[in-house]
Amino acid sequence: MIHENSSDIIRASKAITLTNNEPAECLEFHNGLVLLLTQNTLAMFKSIASVNDPLGNGLIASTELTPEHLLTMENEAFIKSFRAGFVGLTDGKALLVTPNHIQLFPSANDALRNQNELAILALD
């Protein structure tokens, strides 16, 4: 679970390359947790160091996106902006980060209305 007193729970985003040469982007939270985004996966890790661990130590939760909901990189990034628990993606999709889950929506309007959810990453 993500526990944070500040409304701005995200510290930074960072583009990385996974050990399989797949491009990815990480959101680093103030509590040390890391959300990894790839074209077809959302995954939560205990730290940035655990993302490329071949044994999967540090993986908290993950979900695979269906082929029709894949994320698209633009300018070598998935993430366009973030504020508080809202993350705007470069392909127009949006993420909502709450204490118990992360939800993927087709647009910012859908995310703000909490409707038409495409995927959910449960953290509890």
Side-chain angles (χ1 to χ4, degrees), residues 4 6-13 26-31 35 79 81-87 95 97:
E4 185 67 37
S6 167
S7 66
D8 197 11
I9 61 173
I10 301 166
R11 183 182 334 166
S13 68
C26 292
L27 277 176
E28 297 179 70
F29 295 92
H30 284 286
N31 63 4
L35 175 65
I79 300 165
S81 63
F82 56 85
R83 181 161 176 89
F86 176 84
V87 181
L95 295 171
V97 180

Side-chain angles (χ1 to χ4, degrees), residues 51-121:
V51 169
N52 275 317
D53 182 345
L55 299 176
N57 294 324
L59 178 64
I60 296 170
S62 69
T63 189
E64 198 167 317
L65 303 177
T66 61
E68 62 271 11
H69 299 136
L70 298 179
L71 303 180
T72 305
M73 286 188 112
E74 292 183 17
N75 300 321
E76 299 181 16
F78 289 111
I79 300 165
K80 181 177 181 180
S81 63
F82 56 85
R83 181 161 176 89
F86 176 84
V87 181
L89 304 179
T90 57
D91 63 3
K93 294 180 182 80
L95 295 171
L96 275 186
V97 180
T98 66
N100 296 320
H101 54 270
I102 297 170
Q103 297 167 276
L104 175 66
F105 294 93
S107 69
N109 285 335
D110 285 326
L112 295 174
R113 290 182 178 87
N114 198 15
Q115 62 187 25
N116 301 319
E117 177 184 275
L118 302 176
I120 188 165
L121 178 63

Side-chain angles (χ1 to χ4, degrees), residues 1-52:
M1 292 202 317
I2 299 172
H3 295 286
E4 185 67 37
N5 292 331
S6 167
S7 66
D8 197 11
I9 61 173
I10 301 166
R11 183 182 334 166
S13 68
K14 179 180 180 181
I16 66 167
T17 302
L18 300 177
T19 54
N20 65 359
N21 290 324
E22 182 179 7
E25 195 161 1
C26 292
L27 277 176
E28 297 179 70
F29 295 92
H30 284 286
N31 63 4
L33 296 178
V34 172
L35 175 65
L36 175 76
L37 288 82
T38 68
Q39 180 183 15
N40 63 350
T41 305
L42 300 175
M44 185 65 75
F45 289 87
K46 290 181 181 177
S47 68
I48 191 76
S50 62
V51 169
N52 275 317

